[in-house]
Each structure stands twice: as structure tokens, then as C-alpha cells.
Amino acid sequence: MRAVFLDWPGLALKSFYWLFVLYLFLPLSLMVAVSFKDASFISFPLGNLTIDWYAKVIQDKQFLDACLYTIMIAAATTAIATVIGVWIAMLIGSLRGAAQYVAFAVACLPAVVPGMISAISLRIFITTIDLPTGTVAIILGHVVHAVPFVVVMVLTRLRSMPGNLVDAARDLGADSIVTFFRVTLPYLGPAIFGGMIFCLLLSSDDFVRTFFLGGYRPTLPMLIFARVQSGMSPEINVMATLVLVVTAVVGLYAEYLTRRSRIR
Amino acid sequence: MEPVVQFENVRKSFGSFVAVENLNLNIERGKFVTLLGPSGCGKSTTLRMLGGFETPTSGRILLSGRDVTQVPPNRRNVNIVFQDYALFPHMTVAKNIAFGLELKGVDNRQIQKRVSELLELVQLQEFASRLPSELSGGQRQRVALMRALAPDPDVLLLDEPLSALDAKLRQTMQVELKAIQEQTGKTFMFVTHDQEEALTMSDTIVVMNNGRIEQMGDPATLYNRPGSAFVATFLGETNLLRSDVVGAEAGEAAVRWNGVTIKTSAGALSPKPGDAIYVVLRPEAIQCSAHEPSVANRVQGRIRQRVFKGNHTSLKVEIGDGHLLNALVHPSEVEGLSRDDIWVGWPSEATTLIPSRNAAS
């Protein structure tokens, strides 16, 4: 016969987990559900379902332009932040003792400085050097924010690298540059890839920095914000749903790839 | 013939720690040379200096007659098989082996030819496109060896490459390594702390201790005629008997140990009565019997411990009061022997004398 007593702690552990899952997914699923609603206002019950809103959003020039602009900024941010991040990680990896901790702390600082503070200081900075707000300024802001995430991911991988791989490459005739490109960089590959995905997501999701540093052309978060200001409609749900699906797919795919290479 | 490697008065210190002290060593081309010693004896530092990963504090290292003391590792013609292989995890077996050849600027067709030759040498042809993570320990070992051999180095350095393998595989690899060395005719410089590996494979063993060479020679000489107590105890099991010389004449000596007079050949030494001296007596040289044997040295004793090990039996025999001799005998020799009353004996040639000033080290 099974035990008759109830496992209270175990039950509590499980129920709180499921409550959390509910809390996480309920608002999201409502948002997704309403994006299929056959009416121009948000209310319940849903009534008839339609994909008209999707058709409308996909033909929305402003939306498409904002998507393109967001992707462009995210791509530039990722490219620049990855190079700087790997560079800094290699430097920190070669340092010893206190210098290593100091360099690491400085590199991580942008990740913990509040977005608002970072944005205002950059705004003041670009004004001082006469740089106009807009694309370059946004990228500048996003890169500063993204670099620490690349550094941390790459450095973690770098520290798991057997030291004698570099020795072996040197021993077989590679100078330090060849060793970096043919041995170290491929070894860091999965971490760099993960860091790049992180950069893409951070940049395309950023609102505060973009708001302070941007010009008249809106990125996707800014466009959605502007639309919400002028009233909720299922169109916004459609945009949000699309963003949710794309980022979830990208994130999960990246996780799958890095996990696979970690197992190796 | 000119030696392929020459260490001239090489010294290496890390701060106040002296890793290698005044090393003079010539290695002949085509030989399997083993640096043997306990950890911290300077053997790995010696290997890393030859590989170019450490620079001597003073002295010179010559490789095929060229001074390479200050040459970086990528520009000297030696290759290392690392302790945990250090195979490039993102490259296939074939790519790993080709790495050194590509950097030498060998053309593609020749690279392919050489890689398949080398894979054939260790019967890994069908593993060419596997990743290192898909290989067993022994296979990785072979790939690491082939990768280091591929660029045709003057000397192949092996840094305890068998230590990660299990006992059975280690023995197989010892035989295989020696066979590959003979087949390729390469000079191998092997570093280990395992005396069995050293005895099995080497043409020459260099025993190191505290950054210095204790003794150097072929395995049989080192085993049978150790020059110091350290070598005697480090290579194999031994009975090291502290004795006093009581008589000496014409290459023979008589010493007194624990009330027993031992006749021994003096070897290269000329001991004088009254000298303190060590006698090295290998356990397998001792015979056991119920009756007095007819060898030069014989003494009565009691069996204190008897351990059956299959192909031999290990004994601890008490001589006099409390002094133990270790003996290895064939199991049939001790069958039916009484524990309390046996004879042990050994011929006078079975022992080696070591002066006691060396014995102290």
C-alpha cells in the first residue's frame, strides 16, 4: 500500500512552480489570443477568430520599416560588441592577480549601471562631442550595454580551455596569431555564438537607451510604445506576438546549439 | 655521430627553487631515451626547455648542432606528445595530424599522403573523419603521437603520455610505442615517473633526482648495477643493507650486516675494511629452501609474511632479531616449507655495493 500521509513540502514545491508558470504564461497567452480576435477592441469573450490583423500588420509599411531598422541596429551592435567583447576577454584571460579582477569588474560595469543613467550620460556625451542623435548614437549605447555579456560568456569558455591546446599549436609551428585564429577562436566558437544571440536580443529589445539616443526613425519597441500611446488595438497584440515568437525561436535555437557543443 | 640533443651546463630556477641544476646530457640520434624520476625532479622542466616552453636560466641547448636556447617553440624542430594529448577538439583526426604539416607549407597532396600513411601505422584509417571526442583513450593517444610525428621532428618529446590510461592499455601502448619508435627510427625523449615504463621501452634511462642526473645507462645496467641508493630503490624492489666492510681482496669483498657475513663482488669500488657501505640485494636473487643451500651466501631465517601473487610468491624473511629481507620466489619453492626454520641464500654476484656517502642522498 502507498504511504497515506501527504508530502506537504514536496506538494508546496510543485504547486508554487506551477503557479509561477501560470503567472508567466497567462498574460502572454491572452495577448496571443486577442491577436486573433475579430473585432477592433480588446475584450472578452473572443468571439470569432481571424488572421486579418496579421495580414494588416504585415502590410504595415511603418511596422516593416521599424523591423528593418531594429534588425540593422542589432546586427551592427552585435558585430561591434562581439569583437570588443572577445578582445577584452582575451586580455582579461591573460592577466594575473588583482589586475584581472579590476579589468573584469570594469568590463562588467555597463551590465549593472541602470539603463536610464547610462542613456542620460551617453546623451550628454554625444551632445558634448556634437554627435547627432540617431543610428550611430543608438548603436553606441547598445554596444556599451552588450559588451559585458559577450565578455562573461567568452571568458567562461576561455577558462575551461585546456592550457596545453595553445602549447600544442605553438609546438606544431603556429605563431600566436595563427594559434588564435585556428585554435582559440574555434574553441570559443559556441560561447561567441551565444554571446552574439544575446547581443541581438538585448539590442532589439532595448527601449530606454534607444528612447534617449534615437532620432525620428523608430525602432520596433519605440513604434509599439507610440501605438500603445494612441490606444490599444489587436494590431499591437499581433506585433507583440510576432516579436515573442521570433525571439523565442532564436533564443531556443541558440540554447540548443551551445548545449550541443558543450556536450562535445 | 653527432648527438641530436646536447644540454650544456643547463640550469633552470624559478625564483629560489632550482628545478634543474647543471645539466649535461647528450642524446644520440635514433635512441629511445627516458627521463625517469619522482615528481619535482626536473624531468618535465628539462622536456619543456627542449620544447621551447621554458628558457634556461643559464647554459645552452643544441638541437642537431644548432643553438636553440632562445628559439621559440614554433621555430624549433621538436614536437611534443602532451600528457592529456591536447588534441584540437574542433578538428577531425586527419585535420589534427595535418596541422603541423600545413604550417610547414607542405602541399595538400603530400599532406594527405602523409596523414594516411601515419593513420595506417596505428591502424586508425577509418577514424580519419572522427572528432577526438569520439575516440577512446588509446585511440586519442595514438592520434596525438601521429600528430607530433607528422612534421618529422628531430626529436619527439613525450610528457608522461601513458599516465591517463588504465593499467592494461598502458602495457599495450608501451609495446606499441617502442615498436613505432623502432619502425620510424626517430629519437624519442620520454618523461615518466613510472620505472616499469622506463625499463620496458628505453635504450637509455636517465634517472633524475632533485634537478640532477643520478645515473644514466641502459635499463639492465641501471637495474643490476645501481650507482646510488636512490637509483637502487627507485628502480624496482630492493633490499638495501647497511653494512661494514670486514675484508677485501681482488675484486671480492666481505661485509658484515646484522651479524651475518656477506660475500660480494666489489664491482668498480675498492672498499677498505672499516668502511660503511650499502649492499643492494634484489628480492628475486634470493633463493629459499628447507636445507642449507650451496651458494656463497646463506643464512637461516623465519618467514614473517607470505603473499601468493600467482606467478610468484612474495616473502618477508626475518634474519637475526627483527631484520627483514624481501624475497620473490617461485611458488613451488616455498611449498611445504616450515615457517620458522628456512634457509635463504644468494650468489655473491647478485649483490652490488654502493658507497655510503651516496647512500645518504
Side-chain angles (χ1 to χ4, degrees), chain B residues 308-314 328-332:
Chain B
F308 176 68
K309 300 231 172 126
N311 58 357
H312 68 264
T313 296
S314 155
L328 284 185
V329 297
H330 194 271
S332 66

Side-chain angles (χ1 to χ4, degrees), chain A residues 29-47:
Chain A
S29 25
L30 281 181
M31 180 191 81
V32 174
V34 172
S35 72
F36 292 102
K37 185 178 161 67
D38 185 15
S40 59
F41 50 89
I42 295 170
S43 74
F44 282 91
L46 281 176

